Amino acid sequence: MAILDYDMVIVGAGFAGLRMLIEARELGYKARVIEGGDGIGGTWYWNRYPGARCDVFSADYSYSFSTELEQEWRWSERYPTQPEILRYVEFVADKFSLRQDITLGTTVHGAHFDDDRNNWVVETSDGRSLRCTYFVMATGCLSTAKLPDIAGRDSFAGEVYHTAYWPQETVDFAGKRVGVIGTGSSGTQLIPVVAQQAKHLTVFQRTPNFSVPARNAVITAEEDAEIKATYADRRAKARNSPSGLGIVPNKQSALEANPTERNRHYEHQWETAGFGFVLAYYDLLLNKESNDTAADFIRAKINATVQDPATAVKLAPTGYPFGAKRPCVDSGYFETFNRDNVTLVDIRDEHLETITPSAVATNAATYELDVLIFATGFDAMTGSLLKPNIRGRNGRSLRDKWAAGPITYLGLATEGFPNFFFITGPGSPSLLSNVLLSIEQHITWLAGVLRAGEAENASTVEVTAEAEADWTDHVNVTAAKTLYSQAASYYMGDEIVGKPRVFMPYSGGVRAFGRKCDEIADGGYVGFTFE
Ligand code: N01
């Protein structure tokens, strides 16, 4: 008999890892969380760049498992800042005494399934090997930051930052020439804040993004009381909605509304909906002609906001449907380009050639800088799952198995890797949903799988090749009905040169996904083997 260190080892102390730890305790397991950072919070520990906040309503981007927690915590804004979310995570960790089961500052290099003993050996950066029954990667979908492959990248001698590895100390931009490469959600949040402080800001944009206004606001005492009185309803609505945001999509097609009505509706959504703008009509992501109406509306807004016509043209997204690449939710992004101290460089016109010790150079000009910020995103969805060398039955590596793209059952498990699970992995609604809701759904459902395994005295829980092939096929068929493949995006693996081009998240929505999971559970966890 092998001696087990833990029943479960969980990688990552972000929202998913902490929630998994709470569930593991409920299951009666001895569990350990291994976290690479020197603090808990995952995404919200690392991404502390100026302007960082969530674009999901705070009350929805919160745990639902404890009514006491819901009643005790008071959110101050609709869209909470990174420091507020981190305070929430710390509050949860203290309230539920989680810290004693978390090891910080330690990464997992690799893990292998021991075929003889039916358990996992997890290798950590402090040289230890932890033996456990269940191995769970709760590493998040956007946690392996990506640096661009630009000649001379590492030669810059000034201050260099990546939004996803922002230092703890305040960065002072006053009197400095700052360059930002990247205009996704992180860049879009950071740019307006840096522009207010820097002597000059140069933004290097490759693909213009669709962005809708956040319309953030303080949550008043009355609103807080209302939120607290209606949490149960709110959660039910969220679970019953496609995105997990509780927004009921408009049942009308954009093409059914006449242009005046449609414009009025878009105006209303623009003022109130934030990310929900994408649900203004049910078919915006299904029909290109419908999508064009929303895309045209947003382009007109950009044009009306940005004073310099040439800059407005550069900022207007074209060539891909609205929503097919993750839209941004901003606070004063387009207005920032009306400032005298901000320059937009469109690197589709001016090819970005090299980074030197003091500048970023294109084929047209050299931009001298004191500070260079990479807002260049992540190796999404599979990056963190494939970083450690994970080997399943007979030493087969996950990297080999997923060489042509991830194959999973429900985004939770993969055949040949018994007792191994990942939270909001490829094949689950993950990045297309309110990820907090998806995390909790995945974890509570996984608990049901594990209980079923225990009821059968099984030493391994594994998915079948047939179940994962069918599910992966369903994920592809569902995505093929949408416009998602018409954009180069991290949903499709386009963010990394050479990454297989497959659509990774499940686009059928959290409601359909939840129902499918319930159906599988009711059928006795069809697609799993318990041995
Ligand atoms: O990363 P991104 P992000 N040369 O991949 C550019 C979540 N999030 O950190 O579009 C030049 O979106 C790249 O250009 P292109 C949210 O899910 C949420 O901003 O590939 N440029 C793009 O402009 C979000 O979607 C919140 O052509 C290069 C940018 O870098 C996700 O995290 C806040 C380049 C990367 O954008 C990721 O956002 C922040 C190169 N070689 C983040 N390589 C909220 O909740 C990349 N780029 C609000």
Side-chain angles (χ1 to χ4, degrees):
M1 261 308 262
I3 301 199
L4 283 173
D5 297 299
Y6 298 101
D7 297 308
M8 181 180 277
V9 168
I10 302 159
V11 188
F15 272 107
L18 299 185
R19 183 68 185 80
M20 189 71 246
L21 174 59
I22 291 167
E23 199 68 34
R25 286 181 181 174
E26 288 282 308
L27 285 157
Y29 294 169
K30 183 182 172 200
R32 186 96 213 145
V33 177
I34 308 292
E35 165 59 52
D38 289 330
I40 60 169
T43 286
W44 301 103
Y45 172 82
W46 294 106
N47 291 263
R48 50 180 77 223
Y49 57 85
R53 60 171 81 233
C54 183
D55 55 14
V56 173
F57 197 97
S58 47
D60 296 313
Y61 196 82
S62 64
Y63 286 127
S64 67
F65 69 90
S66 160
T67 48
E68 201 177 284
L69 172 64
E70 287 176 337
Q71 296 306 314
E72 275 178 28
W73 182 260
R74 163 81 161 93
W75 289 107
S76 70
E77 292 181 89
R78 287 183 186 186
Y79 300 107
T81 60
Q82 173 271 332
E84 186 168 16
I85 300 173
L86 197 54
R87 280 198 300 278
Y88 173 75
V89 173
E90 303 268 354
F91 180 81
V92 172
D94 291 334
K95 181 172 173 59
F96 298 97
S97 308
L98 301 182
R99 295 179 199 273
Q100 69 211 49
D101 292 329
I102 303 172
T103 303
L104 296 173
T106 306
T107 50
V108 168
H109 289 318
H112 70 268
F113 182 70
D114 182 331
D115 293 281
D116 299 325
R117 294 168 171 178
N118 278 339
N119 51 38
W120 282 85
V121 179
V122 180
E123 298 128 33
T124 58
S125 55
D126 55 2
R128 287 187 305 151
S129 294
L130 308 176
R131 196 173 274 276
C132 56
T133 308
Y134 302 113
F135 175 49
V136 178
M137 290 288 278
T139 41
C141 300
L142 297 160
S143 45
T144 296
K146 187 195 87 173
L147 281 167
D149 206 4
I150 301 169
R153 186 192 68 202
D154 300 331
S155 69
F156 188 74
E159 294 168 55
V160 184
Y161 304 100
H162 190 295
T163 46
Y165 291 121
W166 203 263
Q168 304 261 354
E169 314 77 57
T170 305
V171 177
D172 182 12
F173 298 108
K176 294 178 185 164
R177 298 160 303 171
V178 182
V180 175
I181 301 179
T183 55
S185 295
S186 304
T188 302
Q189 289 186 330
L190 168 99
I191 285 162
V193 181
V194 175
Q196 285 169 26
Q197 300 169 13
K199 180 174 166 203
H200 194 89
L201 172 64
T202 308
V203 176
F204 298 91
Q205 169 194 269
R206 185 164 68 181
T207 309
N209 253 314
F210 287 99
S211 187
V212 295
R215 310 284 182 220
N216 185 36
V218 161
I219 295 177
T220 63
E222 293 73 40
E223 285 166 341
D224 178 55
E226 169 75 12
I227 289 167
K228 286 184 169 146
T230 54
Y231 257 121
D233 256 16
R234 179 173 206 104
R235 306 296 190 191
K237 269 193 197 137
R239 280 191 288 270
N240 209 23
S241 68
S243 56
L245 298 169
I247 303 168
V248 181
N250 189 338
K251 294 209 165 49
Q252 203 180 19
S253 157
L255 302 178
E256 278 162 21
N258 73 45
T260 314
E261 249 177 59
R262 191 168 56 216
N263 212 52
R264 205 169 30 232
H265 184 54
Y266 281 147
E267 282 292 350
H268 178 70
Q269 296 294 99
W270 186 258
E271 292 306 322
T272 58
F275 194 77
F277 191 94
V278 81
L279 299 166
Y281 293 100
Y282 84 88
D283 60 347
L284 292 186
L285 274 162
L286 299 176
N287 179 327
K288 179 67 170 50
E289 220 186 315
S290 297
N291 192 285
D292 286 343
T293 65
D296 287 344
F297 176 88
I298 298 174
R299 281 190 284 265
K301 284 287 183 194
I302 297 169
N303 195 40
T305 306
V306 180
Q307 286 153 8
D308 173 46
T311 304
V313 169
K314 288 180 190 169
L315 286 168
T318 52
Y320 68 94
F322 162 61
K325 183 179 172 73
R326 167 62 149 85
C328 305
V329 181
D330 72 280
S331 297
Y333 177 66
F334 295 114
E335 291 83 345
T336 299
F337 294 91
N338 294 333
R339 296 177 65 101
D340 293 338
N341 70 334
V342 177
T343 306
L344 177 69
V345 177
D346 185 340
I347 63 171
R348 293 168 306 173
D349 295 341
E350 274 183 51
H351 185 63
L352 212 166
E353 288 198 324
T354 180
I355 295 175
T356 71
S358 65
V360 169
T362 68
N363 56 345
T366 297
Y367 300 89
E368 294 288 337
L369 303 171
D370 304 303
V371 181
L372 179 57
I373 301 173
F374 293 106
T376 44
F378 303 87
D379 180 351
M381 302 211 68
T382 50
S384 296
L385 292 176
L386 297 180
K387 203 150 57 171
N389 187 9
I390 297 174
R391 286 153 291 147
R393 282 196 195 281
N394 306 314
R396 185 179 186 196
S397 86
L398 190 62
R399 292 174 190 161
D400 284 347
K401 178 168 180 188
W402 287 4
I407 303 166
T408 77
Y409 190 39
L410 305 168
L412 184 72
T414 193
E415 179 268 337
F417 295 75
N419 296 358
F420 170 54
F421 305 96
F422 27 90
I423 308 305
T424 65
S428 77
S430 60
L431 290 177
L432 296 180
S433 68
N434 168 6
V435 80
L436 239 275
L437 181 147
S438 287
I439 284 170
E440 290 203 282
Q441 187 274 344
H442 243 181
I443 289 171
T444 48
W445 197 80
L446 171 59
V449 176
L450 297 176
R451 283 197 178 93
E454 270 155 32
E456 298 202 19
N457 262 329
S459 53
T460 60
V461 176
E462 189 174 355
V463 299
T464 66
E466 190 191 2
E468 68 175 10
D470 286 351
W471 181 255
T472 305
D473 190 46
H474 176 61
V475 170
N476 292 332
V477 167
T478 309
K481 293 177 191 156
T482 71
L483 303 177
Y484 281 114
S485 66
Q486 294 187 23
S489 77
Y490 61 66
Y491 299 142
M492 298 286 306
D494 290 305
E495 79 286 16
I496 301 287
V497 177
K499 194 164 167 173
R501 194 162 198 271
V502 290
F503 189 78
M504 290 182 282
Y506 176 58
S507 57
V510 299
R511 183 165 83 147
F513 184 77
R515 285 182 176 172
K516 183 72 192 167
C517 288
D518 291 347
E519 198 183 296
I520 290 169
D522 290 347
Y525 294 99
V526 184
F528 286 87
T529 53
F530 302 105
E531 280 173 2

